[in-house]
Amino acid sequence: MPKLKRRTFILGTLGAAGALVVGWAALPARQRLVGAAPLAAAPNQAALNGWVKVSTDDAVTVMVPHAEMGQGTHTGLAMLVADEMDADFSRIRVEQASYDAIYNNQAALLDALPFQPDDDGYVKRMTRHVAGRIVREFPGLAGTGGSASIKDLWLPLRQAGASARAMLVAAAAAQWKVSASELRVEAGRIAHASGRSATFGELALAAATLPVPYDAPLKKPSQFQLIGKPARRIEAPSKLDGSARFGIDALPDGLVYASVAMCPTLGGKAKGYDASAARTLPGVRAIVALEPVAGGIGGMGGATSGGVAVIADTPFHATRALEKIAIEWEHGAAASVDSATLLDDLSRALDTQAGNTHLERGDVDAALAAAARRITAEYRVPFLAHATMEPMNCTVRFKDGKATAWIPTQAPGFARDAVAQTLGIDAENVEVVQTLLGGGFGRRYFTDFVVQAATLARAANGAPVQLIWSREADMQHDYYRPAFVCRCEAGFDAQGSLVAWKTTSAGSSMGAPAMIDMSTDGASNQAYAFPAARVAHLPVETPVSVGIWRSVAHSQNAFFVESFVDEAAHAAGQDPVAFRASLLAGNARHLAVLHRAAELAGWGTPAAPGRAHGIALHRAFGSIVAQVAEVSVDADRIRVHRVVCVVDCGVAVNPNHVKQQMESGIVFGLSAALHGEITIENGRVKQSNFHDYAPLRMNECPAIETDIVASGEAPGGVGEPGTPPIAPAVANAVFALTGRRLRTLPLRLT
Amino acid sequence: MTTLNINGRDVDVTAEPDTPLLWVLRAELALVGTKFGCGKALCGACTVHLDGAAVRSCVLPVAAAAGRRITTIEGLAGRQADALRRAWLDVDVVQCGYCQSGQLMSACALLAQNPRPTDADIDAAMSGNLCRCGTYPRIRAAIHAAAEG
Ligand code: FES
Ligand code: FES
């Protein structure tokens, strides 16, 4: 049974390395709460454990390890602490914790393990345990991704809050000589029936001298005061008056700026250059050749291009001088790459190769052979750029053998190591200041721009250097969402029931290919109970550097699966909602989401004249999302008017931000579905800026209505699951409206 | 030397006349609330007001701004700005926030001209401001709320 072999292999791999490390969750509760290094507290501040500080003016500071890139994680994490503490949420502050192995984001990798959604068997639990131990010590995964922040810290931060509360209560009890059980805590104030009361701030210093309790009881969900209720984003005001600081806003004393021209051919570099005209321009400090950077992670990625950079007094001086440098390029291995050919090659590879099996259920070959009717289809999706609003940038100062780096990064551990390696110093001598991120979407896991900035810092005589990529560099030197081709086949019996399902995709593998290939995420672990099924992926590596893009492989696979399920429904002569429901028998959470979306969208009653509905359902990162798109077509232009979105994400810690993230995921996915395409000719990315890689704009944005299914399950992710279903929902609506099945993204009628 | 009037104050800057205003604000004056997104007037992240009108500072030579009233997000104030900020918080518009300075500058310029914009007016005034986080539906709602409030 191939599936079991695969699991055993993973278990064995992780087990071998896992034995060498001591994981964080394996530690007693003491270490979990205290943190590896004591918190720095100001004189009027008391650190009650590794996560919480209370100051005498009643402000409660929560240390958050995860990057805030728009997903609302700072607010959500602060809510976990504040609720268990019974703190006054208006007095909660958030401080970005520095990189520390204890905060490793274990949940991200665990979700990538190839299990069925409802499989919670022994092997899975064991594997998760061992994998968790490795991941927590593995610097690169101390990152923010996989929609995992809340999942990851759901228990630890609540424990931290409960423990801090217990210390404050104990301090009050000691001062007033009463039993702790007689005290009530509300909104940051502790009170006794005798009328005595004190605020957290008044008790903080005394509380800090008491022992840290490790077993403070947690609230039952029915006792939550904040969790589950809408809360405003904690850092929002700073983003409305210009005071929020992103990576590009780092302003250390003596700052100089750098601009880089990279080889237009992917993976190429500068063979030589003539900078005589640039060197004499005002404000120019240094001109530096940059080698290609292997900024990949976990077997994904690949080398980026080398180039030439100018360090100058201002960004303007740097870019102006750069334009005056004549660079001769060495185009490298990708010089003949053409994305159109590449997609055709992927398709041809599927003529002869079966790929690696990621899911095998029943005897699919026999079931297809015996089927009364079969349908087949081929789907294609292109490379995509991340195009975060804040272009790649990084500021590094290297002085006296020590470095400080201001980095908008999703992976401070990787970034720190990249700086250290580039400068040839120990990681302990690198201080990483994690800033706010102007979008991440997976791009900021990679460290190519960090290595470049560290290289430039070495040439700046101790001055901090801020490297800012142009939008063109950002667009043309990304780690692209891999292009995939997928062949799908379904078989029906004489009664029209679906009896066999087979999909094989081809494209770059996603994830460490030898260990965990995430390429079929969302296809091999979808929820449909196909009687016989095989899902396979054929890894075909290309010179194009690829990476993780919001929702990882779910963005491709939801399009394949949810489009082809729709095709199967129509082939079976069934309503797409009823057909999906018939394949979900017994899966109550999926069924509830599907039916709620259909109901809210008015499924079954005709859409307005000239419009039609399409539906898609997809599970990713522990959350189930259904979307119904209402579309029209005007002069071959697809217009999406309204999207109904229903999500079951377990406990919705902050319903407001769950809705925000659904909207965000939908707009991001729609940008890709309607416009998104990176094409490569002669090894060069053709798109360069927002005119030819065009995100959705206000005038194209549909009305979005989101409904959250009430749930007591542990929280699932919300930053990514909103993205995958929208492309198939729109494609299915276009089919319903026009009878044309669009199997290639972006969706085009001409 | 160029004299600029920024957020109500005159300041002398040394930047060469063809320097885009964006980089003068950010690198010379440390007013980093105005953001760089594309450098080609395609995204709106760098939007400031020039005599009250929304302009893209990434393509505006500093010489062209001399003698005009420049307002950046740091200096954006007044009844409409207050109403917009309040609505932005009430509707919880913001996500990563990187585009939001530009969004507010464009929205405020819109309300100054047109205190009761329709959806079509909002499309026309705001479609030059990209948001990769997809805050458009909430921006629309917040502009309507501010216009009514
Ligand atoms: S940076 Fe000026 S419009 Fe994009
Ligand atoms: S809020 Fe992130 S780009 Fe608009």
Side-chain angles (χ1 to χ4, degrees):
Chain A
M1 204 173 104
K3 198 165 64 176
L4 184 62
K5 258 222 228 69
R6 188 178 154 72
R7 291 176 181 181
T8 314
F9 171 64
I10 291 164
L11 184 62
T13 311
L14 296 175
L20 302 173
V21 296
V22 179
W24 169 71
L27 296 173
R30 190 177 177 286
Q31 277 92 332
R32 255 185 279 170
L33 281 182
V34 171
L39 283 186
N44 65 337
Q45 233 180 10
L48 298 185
N49 55 53
W51 304 94
V52 180
K53 296 187 282 193
V54 179
S55 56
T56 50
D57 70 353
D58 293 334
V60 174
T61 302
V62 178
M63 306 301 293
V64 290
H66 290 294
E68 179 56 64
M69 48 190 175
Q71 80 282 42
T73 200
H74 282 187
T75 309
L77 296 177
M79 287 171 75
L80 302 184
V81 173
D83 202 323
E84 291 289 348
M85 274 184 92
D86 287 313
D88 175 358
F89 195 64
S90 70
R91 301 308 316 276
I92 294 275
R93 305 280 172 273
V94 165
E95 207 173 292
Q96 185 79 52
S98 63
Y99 169 73
D100 183 322
I102 200 160
Y103 297 130
N104 279 0
N105 187 355
Q106 51 169 318
L109 182 64
L110 301 193
D111 250 17
L113 296 179
F115 297 102
Q116 301 310 302
D118 302 315
D119 175 358
D120 201 13
Y122 172 75
V123 181
K124 179 181 184 181
R125 275 182 281 122
M126 275 308 294
T127 309
R128 286 199 159 188
H129 175 73
V130 179
R133 288 176 59 188
I134 288 188
V135 169
R136 283 184 295 271
E137 298 300 321
F138 181 39
L141 284 149
T144 306
S147 298
S149 301
I150 296 280
K151 270 190 289 187
D152 190 17
L153 292 168
W154 170 244
L155 279 177
L157 279 188
R158 287 175 54 212
Q159 283 164 351
S163 175
R165 180 190 192 273
M167 288 165 79
L168 292 159
V169 166
Q175 273 180 22
W176 303 337
K177 305 212 172 7
V178 297
S179 154
S181 64
E182 294 168 27
L183 297 176
R184 282 178 300 109
V185 188
E186 215 182 291
R189 177 174 286 277
I190 300 179
H192 185 254
S194 63
R196 300 195 67 161
S197 81
T199 64
F200 282 1
E202 289 161 356
L203 294 161
L205 298 178
T209 64
L210 300 175
V212 175
Y214 303 113
D215 51 1
L218 297 180
K219 286 184 176 177
K220 290 198 236 344
S222 61
Q223 296 171 296
F224 290 150
Q225 295 289 324
L226 297 167
I227 296 170
K229 304 206 175 76
R232 282 184 188 173
R233 180 178 293 269
I234 216 161
E235 83 284 3
S238 73
K239 291 175 171 174
L240 302 180
D241 63 8
S243 64
R245 289 291 173 264
F246 297 85
I248 202 170
D249 303 327
L251 287 173
D253 282 346
L255 183 65
V256 296
Y257 296 85
S259 199
V260 60
M262 280 181 273
C263 180
T265 316
L266 296 171
K269 61 180 191 175
K271 190 190 281 175
Y273 60 93
D274 174 3
S276 48
R279 220 179 287 280
T280 53
L281 288 173
V284 174
R285 296 182 169 228
I287 291 160
V288 184
L290 294 172
E291 287 299 306
V293 176
I297 53 166
M300 238 188 304
T304 63
S305 306
V308 178
V310 176
I311 303 176
D313 291 348
T314 73
F316 175 66
H317 288 118
T319 47
R320 186 175 61 179
L322 197 59
E323 284 160 15
K324 294 277 184 292
I325 301 178
I327 308 172
E328 193 189 342
W329 299 114
E330 187 178 312
H331 290 290
S336 58
V337 169
D338 191 292
S339 51
T341 315
L342 212 142
L343 278 151
D344 289 341
D345 289 347
L346 292 180
S347 174
R348 249 191 309 279
L350 288 172
D351 289 341
T352 54
Q353 297 176 68
N356 302 327
T357 301
H358 290 203
L359 168 73
E360 182 92 62
R361 188 185 300 153
D363 188 341
V364 74
D365 294 322
L368 280 169
R373 180 165 174 226
R374 285 194 297 269
I375 58 168
T376 60
E378 181 178 294
Y379 286 83
R380 293 181 176 209
V381 299
F383 293 105
L384 290 173
H386 297 82
T388 58
M389 262 338 276
E390 180 189 17
M392 293 306 110
N393 68 87
C394 178
T395 306
V396 181
R397 177 175 57 214
F398 182 45
K399 205 174 176 184
D400 306 327
K402 289 188 191 300
T404 305
W406 293 260
I407 317 179
T409 177
Q410 290 176 253
F414 273 136
R416 181 190 67 161
D417 291 354
V419 173
Q421 271 164 29
T422 306
L423 294 172
I425 58 178
D426 289 340
E428 292 72 56
N429 289 324
V430 179
E431 185 199 353
V432 171
V433 182
Q434 172 142 6
T435 64
L436 291 173
L437 275 56
F441 316 128
R443 176 63 177 91
R444 289 189 153 100
Y445 256 102
F446 295 90
T447 55
D448 47 334
F449 57 99
V450 177
V451 172
Q452 289 185 347
T455 308
L456 294 167
R458 191 195 280 292
N461 300 319
V465 181
Q466 183 170 100
L467 171 67
I468 304 172
W469 279 16
S470 65
R471 175 57 61 190
E472 288 76 9
D474 192 273
M475 197 78 81
Q476 298 183 330
H477 297 281
D478 200 347
Y479 290 90
Y480 300 96
R481 195 285 302 271
F484 275 13
V485 170
C486 186
R487 295 237 176 118
C488 307
E489 191 169 4
F492 302 86
D493 64 15
Q495 288 73 47
S497 295
L498 190 146
V499 291
W501 172 272
K502 184 174 147 190
T503 65
T504 312
S505 50
S508 301
S509 51
M510 303 184 77
M515 194 166 81
I516 300 166
D517 184 351
M518 297 184 275
S519 305
T520 63
D521 244 10
S524 59
N525 50 1
Q526 42 66 35
Y528 296 119
F530 302 123
R534 180 185 301 136
V535 174
H537 181 73
L538 175 64
V540 180
E541 309 309 335
T542 76
V544 182
S545 50
V546 295
I548 40 186
W549 185 93
R550 197 172 193 169
S551 83
V552 198
H554 288 278
S555 72
Q556 297 103 320
N557 288 318
F559 179 62
F560 305 149
V561 173
E562 281 302 296
S563 297
F564 196 58
V565 160
D566 215 70
E567 291 203 52
H570 288 287
Q574 287 193 46
D575 171 77
V577 171
F579 183 73
R580 283 173 173 82
S582 72
L583 290 169
L584 288 167
N587 195 324
R589 287 181 78 182
H590 278 81
L591 282 169
V593 171
L594 177 73
H595 285 134
R596 181 88 181 122
E599 177 194 328
L600 289 177
W603 189 267
T605 55
R611 297 187 185 182
H613 289 143
I615 193 163
L617 171 73
H618 191 78
R619 175 191 182 276
F621 307 99
S623 297
I624 304 157
V625 178
Q627 288 165 3
V628 177
E630 182 177 313
V631 309
S632 67
V633 170
D634 177 19
D636 284 337
R637 216 178 117 235
I638 298 166
R639 207 175 152 101
V640 183
H641 299 272
R642 175 179 177 232
V643 176
V644 168
C645 174
V646 175
V647 55
D648 175 350
C649 59
V651 173
V653 171
N654 185 350
N656 211 6
H657 287 169
V658 172
K659 289 189 177 175
Q660 250 193 5
Q661 283 310 300
M662 290 303 119
E663 293 161 16
S664 180
I666 288 165
V667 173
F668 199 81
L670 262 184
S671 293
L674 298 179
H675 308 301
E677 185 175 31
I678 289 290
T679 53
I680 298 159
E681 282 179 28
N682 300 321
R684 297 168 186 233
V685 171
K686 288 208 39 173
Q687 293 71 23
S688 63
N689 208 318
F690 292 129
H691 62 294
D692 52 8
Y693 187 80
L696 215 68
R697 292 178 181 272
M698 174 71 90
N699 60 343
E700 304 169 287
C701 187
I704 300 172
E705 296 150 44
T706 300
D707 190 60
I708 303 170
V709 174
S711 168
E713 304 275 337
V718 297
E720 297 171 275
T723 295
I726 191 62
V730 173
N732 295 340
V734 170
F735 177 79
L737 186 67
T738 66
R740 286 181 60 189
R741 177 61 63 181
L742 300 182
R743 299 191 181 93
T744 299
L745 292 179
L747 302 170
R748 287 188 186 126
L749 285 160
T750 48
Chain B
M1 187 86 84
T2 312
T3 303
L4 297 177
N5 181 278
I6 300 181
N7 299 331
R9 289 196 8 240
D10 282 344
V11 288
D12 293 333
V13 297
T14 60
E16 292 156 57
D18 54 342
T19 309
L21 176 63
L22 170 68
W23 298 118
V24 178
L25 294 172
R26 292 186 54 87
E28 188 167 346
L29 300 172
L31 290 170
V32 292
T34 305
K35 301 301 190 215
F36 165 64
C38 69
K40 298 269 166 71
L42 295 166
C43 78
C46 64
T47 305
V48 299
H49 291 176
L50 202 59
D51 293 333
V55 297
R56 311 294 186 222
S57 66
C58 67
V59 292
L60 184 77
V62 67
R68 322 264 303 262
R69 258 183 319 113
I70 303 163
T71 308
T72 70
I73 186 71
E74 290 89 349
L76 186 71
R79 196 176 51 82
Q80 268 152 345
D82 291 346
L84 283 166
R85 285 201 177 97
R86 213 168 28 242
W88 242 248
L89 291 174
D90 286 344
V91 178
D92 216 344
V93 171
V94 171
Q95 291 185 36
C96 87
Y98 195 79
C99 72
Q100 295 294 332
S101 302
Q103 304 282 4
L104 272 175
M105 298 307 290
S106 291
C108 205
L110 166 64
L111 286 194
Q113 285 221 322
N114 179 352
R116 289 284 167 133
T118 62
D119 277 341
D121 297 334
I122 292 174
D123 282 348
M126 301 301 295
S127 288
N129 286 81
L130 281 176
C131 174
R132 277 298 266 165
C133 298
T135 61
Y136 304 126
R138 287 173 191 246
I139 290 176
R140 185 186 299 283
I143 292 176
H144 283 310
E148 275 149 29

